[in-house]
Amino acid sequence: MAFCNKVGSLLRHSISQNGQAPMASMLNAARCMSSKLFIGGLSFGTSDESLKEAFSSFGDVTEARVIMDRTTGKSRGFGFVDFASDESASSALNAMDGQELHGRNIRVSIATERTGPRPYNGGGGGGYRGDGGFSGPSGY
């Protein structure tokens, strides 16, 4: 959402100044919002530290995090890397997308901000209601 607001304000500003929306300005707006990268296809043995190590040659990594499953405590196979500068993130994206890391080819892209609520993946398998009956996922 922040990205869309940024692009919208940039377009309004550009159009009001010269009557057209230059593509280069829009691309610069996208680039300035991209210091956080999504890393997919990670090996389940990849740690926060090894992820940071793999990307630190492109610039100052402020945070590298492998996302773990809450229940099992194991890697979910993806993570995020935050850079201090957009230029470093752009270099890392261009160099690392499709490359091998710990035996797996990784996918690197600009992380996008979540919009709306998180999807519900909970159980809802039903259970005893207390009045002698059982309820299913929708309470019937």
Side-chain angles (χ1 to χ4, degrees), residues 6-76:
K6 175 78 173 171
V7 171
S9 70
L10 179 68
L11 285 173
R12 282 190 296 279
H13 178 71
S14 295
I15 291 169
S16 70
Q17 285 198 336
N18 60 11
Q20 60 184 3
M23 185 57 97
S25 294
M26 288 176 30
L27 293 174
N28 284 336
R31 199 175 317 130
C32 77
M33 299 296 291
S34 61
S35 62
K36 185 173 193 168
L37 299 178
F38 168 84
I39 317 299
L42 291 175
S43 162
F44 294 112
T46 303
S47 66
D48 292 350
E49 188 58 38
S50 65
L51 185 60
K52 184 175 184 173
E53 245 176 62
F55 282 84
S56 63
S57 64
F58 300 99
D60 183 25
V61 174
T62 57
E63 182 183 19
R65 189 167 41 122
V66 175
I67 305 304
M68 308 302 267
D69 185 273
R70 286 185 217 158
T71 308
T72 66
K74 295 182 181 181
S75 169
R76 293 185 59 197

Side-chain angles (χ1 to χ4, degrees), residues 125-140:
Y128 186 73
R129 281 197 313 233
D131 64 356
F134 288 88
S135 64
S138 59
Y140 55 98

Side-chain angles (χ1 to χ4, degrees), residues 39-40 55 92-101 104-109:
I39 317 299
F55 282 84
L93 185 146
N94 291 329
M96 294 294 285
D97 187 33
Q99 298 300 309
E100 187 176 312
L101 179 64
R104 306 259 324 252
N105 288 342
I106 60 172
R107 295 176 315 279
V108 181
S109 60

